[in-house]
Amino acid sequence: MKAGSNLEKVFASGGFAVTGELGPPKGNDGEVVKKKAAMLKGFVDAVNITDNQTAVVRMSSIAAATIALQAGIEPIMQMVCRDRNRIAMQSDLLGATAFGLKNILCLSGDHQSFGNQPGAKNVYDIDSMQLISTVKRMRDEKKLLNSDDVLEGEVKMFIGAAENPFAEPFEYRAYRLKKKVEAGVDFIQTQCIYDMKIFREWMKVVCDLGLNEKCYIMAGVTPLKSAGMTKYMASKVPGIIIPQEIIDRMSAAPKDKAAEEGIKICCEQIQELREIKGVAGIHLMAIEWEHRSGEIIEKAGLLPRPKID
Amino acid sequence: MIIADRKPIDDIKNMLSPYKKILLVGCGTCVSVCMTGGEKEVGILASELRIISELEKKGWEISEDTIQRQCDREYIEPLSEKFEAADIIMSLACGVGIQYMAEVFPRHMVLPAINTTFYGTTVSEGEWQERCAGCGDCVLHLTMGICPVARCSKGLYNGPCGGTDKGKCEISSDLDCAWYMIYNRMKDLGKLDMIGTFIPPRSWKASLNGGPRKRVREDLKK
Ligand code: SF4
Ligand code: SF4
């Protein structure tokens, strides 16, 4: 075991893992985190706690992850390279592991121009690839960056990263994953998948490169809530591809049944993804739909979640 | 070259309000080429200010001069008489020129008429783009001659990020993704293996983060 997190144990036991997502509040009410954690408890093996996603100021990922952990659900703290330099990141890693956090997801972070602090100075002292290697160095060699002094204590982190099989250049995407594996990533969560054809092609290259044996790959899914959301995502969100067939299905559904149709599509996708070689789990991104995540996971036949000590 | 933009006229007007005898000084190098602070632009600003002075009864006396380079003592020193005759100097040079004029004439205030923006080039008539951020540790040999520091919105050394969209950067559809360009050039030149090479965290000591920089060559010092 590298970190001994529940997520790592599920993978190691050969289980098909399920992770969810929990967005911290735009305020400091810990109850909000506890409520969302309660909705997801028992349905997922671990839950991502976003780090000021879309560059909007929210409760810190580490604080919200700690509250979630106390509420009985295992967090995956996200860490973006946008807001902190290597001093702050390594210090936060020491703090996070002291609080008992055991999973991290290393990300570049959405550019600050998207959020509510567009005039902020960004940091990018190190990038997400370099962050992966930094966490690995702290964990495996017990050393900080640029220092050969041995760290006190152990930084047990199961290291994750995101990958987008749908961002061009497509042909390069699997090679980028290889680079992440070499940097030290243990698991990957993909961008939300709607186009199975492109995803299958990506997975094939990933398997041909043997990467599915070096890290666990979790297929990302997001339930569509309405025809409007579908069209918006298809045309406006960079790096998301939605096939016409799905757009048509969502448009054809009556307004009050659209959410049900979206959940149905999501469950079908999960079934399909489970069959694809190399897919080790599902990452369900249903932000602000935490209350329906359990239902989707149940309908997709992913219950009960394994109990491992 | 160094690229700059002129400040809004209201800002300039406010800066000059307390003074009467104003000397505008342009620079004949970078800011001339990017058409912000050369002789012609000094003339335009002078006319604008004269009109404002008329309309708003400011009583400004505006004189103009443009020297070859404001970052060179030898060109600045001959301005000494004009400096003495003015209440205030306003420079249309880059931040280096503005500061250096004030260094050469420490008893005078030199105000900025322009915002120095970046090191770039003219890509087509009327369009300039950033190319280098003076980071002090060039990696262009690893990135096919395309700078990841100045041209990737996140300054990534191991890009592209997941936000790259059909060759464009996630922050704007009229900004090219630097890493998409790097990838394509590697492909075109048969060097795709390079994209798999991990670039480790660098030291930023050689950049501004290491404190203000200076260069010394003992062999050239007198
Ligand atoms: S790598 Fe540094 S020195 Fe080289 S072009 Fe980019 S900013 Fe300039
Ligand atoms: S889209 Fe390209 S240029 Fe923009 S931040 Fe990402 S890698 Fe950099």
Side-chain angles (χ1 to χ4, degrees):
Chain A
M1 284 283 129
K2 289 172 174 167
S5 70
N6 184 55
L7 182 62
E8 184 182 10
K9 287 177 187 163
V10 171
F11 282 132
S13 69
F16 190 81
V18 178
T19 51
E21 209 151 281
L22 189 161
K26 289 182 193 160
N28 56 6
D29 185 359
E31 288 303 317
V32 177
V33 179
K34 283 186 199 158
K35 267 189 207 136
K36 288 183 173 179
M39 289 173 199
L40 291 162
K41 195 174 169 182
F43 293 107
V44 294
D45 303 312
V47 63
N48 287 28
I49 311 291
T50 50
D51 180 8
N52 297 299
Q53 56 158 338
T54 63
V56 169
V57 177
R58 290 170 180 273
M59 182 188 290
S60 82
S61 171
I62 294 176
T66 305
I67 297 172
L69 182 66
Q70 287 160 359
I73 188 163
E74 180 171 281
I76 300 168
M77 61 175 271
Q78 297 195 354
M79 188 180 264
V80 301
C81 300
R82 179 192 59 223
D83 308 328
R84 313 171 179 78
N85 69 7
R86 65 190 77 179
I87 300 172
M89 285 172 145
Q90 295 178 102
S91 152
D92 276 351
L93 275 156
L94 297 178
T97 44
F99 276 135
L101 307 185
K102 290 181 179 160
N103 305 297
I104 182 172
L105 196 81
C106 305
L107 303 167
S108 308
D110 301 311
H111 194 267
Q112 68 276 11
S113 59
F114 292 108
N116 60 1
Q117 311 290 318
K121 184 177 183 192
N122 62 21
V123 183
Y124 295 112
D125 174 19
I126 56 177
D127 65 22
S128 62
M129 200 80 75
Q130 295 166 340
L131 174 59
I132 294 167
S133 74
T134 303
V135 184
K136 184 177 159 67
R137 180 179 161 93
M138 289 173 79
R139 181 188 69 196
D140 297 349
E141 296 173 44
K142 296 182 73 170
K143 284 176 189 161
L144 295 174
L145 263 182
N146 320 113
S147 160
D148 280 331
D149 298 347
V150 175
L151 267 176
E152 282 168 40
E154 301 204 68
V155 179
K156 294 277 185 205
M157 276 287 181
F158 194 49
I159 308 168
E163 195 47 70
N164 185 357
F166 307 99
E168 288 191 67
F170 294 138
E171 65 275 24
Y172 158 56
R173 283 288 149 186
Y175 294 95
R176 181 169 155 82
L177 177 57
K178 181 162 178 261
K179 203 169 160 179
K180 282 192 176 157
V181 168
E182 280 161 13
V185 87
D186 301 311
F187 72 99
I188 289 287
Q189 293 172 333
T190 77
Q191 171 69 283
C192 38
I193 302 159
Y194 297 102
D195 193 317
M196 288 293 167
K197 190 169 164 280
I198 296 178
F199 182 69
R200 277 177 199 282
E201 282 162 17
W202 181 80
M203 260 332 281
K204 185 168 181 311
V205 184
V206 167
C207 293
D208 288 348
L209 292 170
L211 302 177
N212 58 317
E213 275 151 32
K214 297 194 178 124
C215 71
Y216 300 103
I217 294 168
M218 309 192 75
V221 290
T222 291
L224 295 163
K225 296 179 191 174
S226 64
M229 169 191 176
T230 310
K231 284 181 196 143
Y232 175 80
M233 284 180 66
S235 61
K236 294 275 182 324
V237 182
I240 296 232
I241 299 178
I242 306 187
Q244 192 58 42
E245 184 210 325
I246 292 182
I247 300 176
D248 292 345
R249 270 181 74 179
M250 287 305 291
S251 309
K255 241 195 165 105
D256 59 331
K257 293 270 170 353
E260 303 312 316
E261 185 66 12
I263 289 179
K264 197 161 163 249
I265 294 173
C266 186
C267 292
E268 290 168 20
Q269 285 171 330
I270 293 175
Q271 292 315 324
E272 225 179 310
L273 290 164
R274 284 182 83 166
E275 302 303 318
I276 298 175
K277 184 180 168 216
V279 175
I282 291 291
H283 176 52
L284 177 64
M285 287 165 275
I287 282 265
E288 299 315 325
W289 239 26
E290 285 88 352
H291 61 291
R292 301 206 72 168
S293 297
E295 175 191 342
I296 297 168
I297 291 160
E298 182 167 21
K299 283 189 177 152
L302 294 168
L303 291 183
R305 300 309 313 146
K307 283 209 166 32
I308 302 169
D309 300 307
Chain B
M1 74 180 135
I2 294 175
I3 312 291
D5 274 327
R6 212 192 73 188
K7 283 183 177 286
I9 191 70
D10 282 344
D11 292 1
I12 293 178
K13 197 173 90 180
N14 289 341
M15 276 190 265
L16 293 174
S17 276
Y19 307 102
K20 287 283 173 262
K21 292 181 188 158
I22 300 162
L23 171 64
L24 301 178
V25 188
C27 175
T29 310
C30 305
V31 291
S32 270
V33 183
C34 74
M35 297 191 256
T36 308
E39 195 174 353
K40 192 172 146 216
E41 292 75 28
V42 169
I44 295 170
L45 179 59
S47 321
E48 281 179 73
L49 292 174
R50 283 184 192 117
I51 294 170
I52 292 171
S53 180
E54 263 313 290
L55 293 175
E56 302 182 16
K57 312 253 172 299
K58 296 269 190 201
W60 284 337
E61 286 169 39
I62 317 265
S63 49
E64 315 162 33
D65 203 333
T66 296
I67 59 173
Q68 180 86 41
R69 278 208 297 273
Q70 288 190 23
C71 54
D72 223 321
R73 181 176 287 270
E74 137 190 17
Y75 296 103
I76 299 173
E77 276 172 346
L79 285 175
S80 120
E81 263 175 44
K82 290 189 176 168
F83 263 65
E84 291 308 329
D87 303 335
I88 191 70
I89 322 297
M90 176 166 264
S91 163
L92 282 84
C94 72
V96 178
I98 301 168
Q99 293 183 58
Y100 204 52
M101 289 227 298
E103 261 171 76
V104 174
F105 296 112
R107 287 188 300 110
H108 294 270
M109 274 261 285
V110 183
L111 303 175
I114 68 176
N115 295 318
T116 303
T117 46
F118 55 82
Y119 307 152
T121 185
T122 317
V123 289
S124 60
E125 217 172 307
E127 184 170 340
W128 295 268
Q129 286 180 7
E130 184 159 18
R131 287 292 181 266
C132 171
C135 78
D137 188 2
C138 197
V139 291
L140 287 175
H141 57 299
L142 303 175
T143 58
M144 305 307 286
I146 296 165
C147 173
V149 183
R151 300 177 73 184
C152 164
S153 302
K154 299 176 186 169
L156 306 178
Y157 278 75
N158 296 279
C161 73
T164 178
D165 194 28
K166 300 182 190 77
K168 298 296 172 187
C169 173
E170 72 172 26
I171 75 165
S172 163
S173 57
D174 51 47
L175 207 62
D176 292 323
C177 167
W179 276 98
Y180 189 77
M181 292 192 279
I182 294 170
Y183 173 82
N184 278 333
R185 195 173 292 174
M186 283 176 177
K187 197 162 126 184
D188 291 347
L189 302 188
K191 296 203 185 297
L192 257 189
D193 53 309
M194 283 171 77
I195 198 106
T197 312
F198 172 65
I199 303 181
R202 62 162 279 176
S203 162
W204 291 100
K205 263 195 218 161
S207 80
L208 193 58
N209 298 275
R213 293 170 276 182
K214 72 176 176 186
R215 175 169 182 252
V216 180
R217 276 219 15 213
E218 292 300 342
D219 57 324
L220 296 178
K221 277 192 143 180
K222 288 209 185 93

